[in-house]
Amino acid sequence: MATSTLPPVNQSGAKSLTGLPNLGQSKRSNSKTPRVSPRHSVGKLAGIERGDVGAFRNTYQHNLSLEILQEGYVSSFIELFELFNQQTKDRESAGSDSGVHEVPLLINQPEKLDILKAKLTEAEDARRQGAADKAYQSYLDLAHHFEQFPSDEWLIDHFHERCMTESHAVKDDDGRKQAEANFNIGIALEKRGDLSAAVEYLEKFYNLTTDQEWQDTVGDSLHDQAALQLYRTYTSLAEEIYEQAPQMSIEYLKKAYHMANEGGDRTEAGLASHRLGNIYEAVGDPEVATMYHKGYLDRCKRDKDKVGTGKAYEALARCEQSDGKLEEATQNYLEFVKIAEEVADKTVLSQACSSLANLYNMLGEYESAVEYYNKAAENMETDDRERLELMNISQAIARSHNQLCNYSMAILKNTAKLTATIVEWKDYRDEGFVIASRPPTSAEGDLSGANTPSSPLVEKTEEKK
């Protein structure tokens, strides 16, 4: 067989290059130029690292979480991851009809994620250094930050709880951080209307500040602040539960009264006394109510609070009237009218005159009743037609009672002239007995003495019609 003159063929079918001249392959292979992988070549040419490509491909939350781990903050990563999971579980448990689904997920809010990363890692650094007070402050900053977002109450609660945890690790402040943590949780609960839970934390704040000389940044005592805050919360809770539990409401108002006095605010202490008087009056105990109203009156006089003094006189008059002490009630209503005139408040003056007129009407002093009904009508400033008509009816009843004595006397004497006068009065129905074209007799003079000026209230009602 003849020997082939063609160059040998390798297994892949390509021609062998062994017969070709040496192109300096050994020299190229020894070159120091690094070999670039095809999958990285485009990025290298564009100046982009592999990690940069991932940053563009992944979510902001993924990249931020990865960054936290790369920087060595494992605890911060875990806490952030748990927050993401908590929000997801809360949405699932709330159901599809809940408004919580309208709130964006935390993982889709880059600005909030940035502040979370900054403060969580700051707190972790502080814990590593044994500075629990600084960690507490970092969590408190987060709680305050999320207060501006109404939908983030769950985050506020979380970071207040973290503050509470860190406060127990602070050893050199005699428990001040614990007190502040209880106060912050209590206030947060009160803002959302959970007063019963708020009271528990605010009472702890009060107890922790007892016998301490702690002050806030402007120099006010924290213990006084604790007392006054409890006063406000007790008062709100008492008002909330009054319809269902009036006796429990009274107990809370007593606590509020005590706290207002301890907090040193004389105005609030006076109002607390007034509220206690009102509630005892409402439950049918005018004697105890009178005691608290007198306390309110004394405080208002001492503070020269004329508006409060008027309220106190009115409340005392109501209680004394309810207790059958009508003479004392009359005097207190007169004082109420006097104060209302001094403060030049027409609405209050109308109310005071109306109350006094009602009492005079009940006592049978009809002339005085008519006088004060007129005064009440002159100072009434309202568009409430029902109230106007009620006042008109009360005034008419007083006028009728005022004429009853003269009318009865005319019936009993039964003279021709008096009978004619009565018949004529029935024709006209004016406010007195009209005797036309002749001078009145002495009896008729007494009868016609019942004439009084026309009622300004009737005029107002007619204008309204």
Side-chain angles (χ1 to χ4, degrees):
M1 181 181 292
T3 305
S4 172
T5 57
L6 294 174
V9 178
N10 59 19
Q11 293 178 352
S12 64
K15 292 183 179 180
S16 173
L17 302 179
T18 53
L20 295 177
N22 190 336
L23 297 178
Q25 292 175 346
S26 61
K27 183 177 180 180
R28 186 169 62 249
S29 63
N30 291 332
S31 172
K32 294 183 180 180
T33 302
R35 185 179 180 187
V36 179
S37 171
R39 62 192 294 241
H40 291 147
S41 59
V42 176
K44 283 292 184 181
L45 292 174
I48 303 174
E49 297 291 340
R50 182 178 182 182
D52 295 332
V53 174
F56 284 106
R57 288 177 177 172
N58 298 323
T59 64
Y60 192 88
Q61 170 260 331
H62 177 95
N63 293 327
L64 182 131
S65 300
L66 185 60
E67 191 175 295
I68 292 173
L69 281 174
Q70 288 173 337
E71 293 174 3
Y73 295 104
V74 178
S75 295
S76 300
F77 169 80
I78 293 172
E79 185 167 359
L80 192 60
F81 183 77
E82 288 175 347
L83 288 175
F84 297 152
N85 281 345
Q86 179 183 340
Q87 188 179 30
T88 302
K89 290 179 181 178
D90 289 345
R91 287 163 70 95
E92 291 174 354
S93 61
S96 58
D97 296 334
S98 173
V100 72
H101 290 272
E102 299 176 4
V103 179
L105 286 169
L106 191 58
I107 60 175
N108 296 326
Q109 301 182 73
E111 292 182 358
K112 292 181 182 180
L113 292 176
D114 286 341
I115 189 69
L116 282 168
K117 181 205 168 187
K119 289 298 178 179
L120 288 176
T121 55
E122 183 178 89
E124 188 170 349
D125 273 334
R127 285 197 303 274
R128 290 172 181 175
Q129 297 167 11
D133 56 331
K134 293 182 179 178
Y136 170 94
Q137 188 59 50
S138 296
Y139 288 123
L140 184 60
D141 291 343
L142 280 170
H144 289 329
H145 175 77
F146 287 106
E147 285 175 355
Q148 62 185 303
F149 306 107
S151 60
D152 289 335
E153 287 181 351
W154 66 285
L155 284 172
I156 298 171
D157 290 344
H158 173 82
F159 291 116
H160 278 318
E161 289 295 338
R162 295 293 282 130
C163 285
M164 180 68 76
T165 302
E166 293 299 330
S167 70
H168 290 282
V170 180
K171 303 300 182 183
D172 56 352
D173 70 341
D174 296 324
R176 175 165 179 164
K177 287 288 189 294
Q178 292 182 45
E180 291 177 356
N182 279 286
F183 172 78
N184 291 329
I185 294 175
I187 293 299
L189 290 168
E190 184 183 43
K191 285 180 178 178
R192 70 193 60 166
D194 193 350
L195 298 178
S196 297
V199 161
E200 294 182 15
Y201 286 97
L202 292 172
E203 286 177 341
K204 290 177 183 177
F205 174 53
Y206 170 82
N207 292 331
L208 287 167
T209 57
T210 302
D211 299 328
Q212 298 289 352
E213 297 181 356
W214 299 330
Q215 295 180 340
D216 62 11
T217 54
V218 296
D220 292 334
S221 165
L222 288 188
H223 185 67
D224 288 348
Q225 289 185 28
L228 291 174
Q229 182 57 51
L230 266 178
Y231 152 72
R232 289 187 286 268
T233 309
Y234 282 145
T235 301
S236 299
L237 185 55
E239 292 173 351
E240 182 181 89
I241 68 173
Y242 171 70
E243 294 295 335
Q244 294 77 25
Q247 289 302 320
M248 183 62 70
S249 179
I250 289 175
E251 293 304 314
Y252 276 122
L253 282 180
K254 285 181 178 179
K255 290 182 178 182
Y257 176 71
H258 172 72
M259 288 298 165
N261 281 289
E262 186 173 345
D265 191 321
R266 297 198 311 184
T267 300
E268 296 297 341
L271 290 173
S273 182
H274 184 52
R275 290 190 188 97
L276 267 172
N278 287 340
I279 197 170
Y280 272 111
E281 182 184 351
V283 297
D285 194 341
E287 186 176 349
V288 177
T290 298
M291 178 185 70
Y292 283 108
H293 285 317
K294 283 183 177 178
Y296 180 47
L297 177 62
D298 291 340
R299 289 176 185 271
C300 291
K301 284 183 174 180
R302 185 170 59 245
D303 295 340
K304 298 180 179 179
D305 177 6
K306 288 193 174 182
V307 174
T309 301
K311 289 180 179 180
Y313 275 126
E314 180 190 22
L316 278 171
R318 282 198 317 266
C319 291
E320 288 163 347
Q321 183 176 346
S322 176
D323 206 21
K325 300 175 181 178
L326 302 182
E327 185 176 346
E328 293 90 337
T330 302
Q331 291 302 315
N332 282 317
Y333 273 132
L334 285 169
E335 291 292 337
F336 182 30
V337 171
K338 181 181 176 181
I339 293 293
E341 289 174 335
E342 289 177 1
V343 299
D345 188 328
K346 286 192 171 185
T347 301
V348 175
L349 179 57
S350 177
Q351 177 186 344
C353 291
S354 178
S355 298
L356 182 56
N358 289 336
L359 180 57
Y360 276 135
N361 200 25
M362 186 178 72
L363 290 171
E365 299 182 24
Y366 303 123
E367 189 172 348
S368 296
V370 170
E371 175 189 349
Y372 281 98
Y373 275 132
N374 276 337
K375 204 168 184 178
E378 290 169 358
N379 291 279
M380 182 179 288
E381 294 180 336
T382 180
D383 293 328
D384 187 344
R385 183 177 180 82
E386 183 177 349
R387 185 180 171 192
L388 287 169
E389 290 181 348
L390 179 61
M391 179 72 78
N392 198 7
I393 292 170
S394 299
Q395 189 178 26
I397 292 172
R399 289 178 183 278
S400 299
H401 287 162
N402 194 33
Q403 292 180 349
L404 182 59
C405 180
N406 293 329
Y407 180 82
S408 300
M409 183 184 65
I411 294 293
L412 290 172
K413 286 190 175 182
N414 195 24
T415 65
K417 289 182 179 179
L418 287 176
T419 301
T421 301
I422 291 173
V423 171
E424 188 173 1
W425 172 75
K426 284 180 175 290
D427 286 338
Y428 288 95
R429 297 284 183 178
D430 63 358
E431 295 184 8
F433 295 104
V434 177
I435 303 175
S437 67
R438 56 184 171 77
T441 64
S442 59
E444 291 169 346
D446 293 338
L447 206 58
S448 63
N451 282 307
T452 54
S454 63
S455 166
L457 184 60
V458 174
E459 296 171 2
K460 282 189 178 183
T461 307
E462 289 300 325
E463 291 174 3
K464 195 74 178 160
K465 289 179 180 178

